[in-house]
Structures are given as C-alpha cells and as structure tokens.
C-alpha cells in the first residue's frame, strides 16, 4: 500500500486495536455515520479524502468498516 504522510495518517497508523480507535474519538462505537474514518474513506470531504488523490474505497470494503464499527 502506498501511503502519504500527514499528521492524521501518522496518528492513525498507530491505532493497532479497536480500543485505540474508540479512545481516539475518530471512530464512534456503533455510530459509523459519526466516524471521521468513514467520512474520509468515502470521500465525503474532498479536501480530506483517503486514499489521497484516489477513488473512494470499494463498497465491499466500506461495508466491512461499517460492520466493524457497528460491532464495537
């Protein structure tokens, strides 16, 4: 995977557990619609998208993220 470097990316790459994601506030357990991760992965904000300069993730991967967050 090619990744860019940014403050958010550098911080997010250190979240190695579900608990770390919850503590960060970037993922709200049971509420993907309020998750910064989901907002960026689905390119809802053109200036803060992931992957940077790329297309939105496939729906199958998006569904996995939703399932993970809803199951927290």
């Amino acid at each position: 995977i090619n990744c860019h470097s940014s403050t958010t990316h550098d911080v997010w790459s250190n979240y190695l557990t579900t608990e770390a994601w919850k503590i960060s506030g970037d993922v709200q357990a049971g509420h993907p619609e309020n998750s910064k991760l989901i907002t960026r992965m689905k390119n809802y904000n053109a200036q803060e998208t992931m992957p940077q300069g790329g297309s939105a993730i496939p729906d199958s991967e998006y569904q996995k993220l939703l399932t993970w967050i809803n199951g927290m």
Side-chain angles (χ1 to χ4, degrees), residues 8-55:
T8 299
H9 181 273
D10 293 342
V11 170
W12 284 7
S13 67
N14 290 316
Y15 300 159
L16 302 178
T17 65
T18 296
E19 191 62 27
W21 279 99
K22 290 193 290 189
I23 290 169
S24 76
D26 291 326
V27 170
Q28 292 186 13
H31 298 281
E33 70 280 2
N34 296 328
S35 168
K36 184 186 275 188
L37 175 65
I38 294 298
T39 299
R40 289 193 176 183
M41 294 303 290
K42 285 303 283 184
N43 298 335
Y44 292 137
N45 180 339
Q47 297 193 7
E48 296 182 338
T49 62
M50 291 175 30
Q52 188 177 45
S55 300

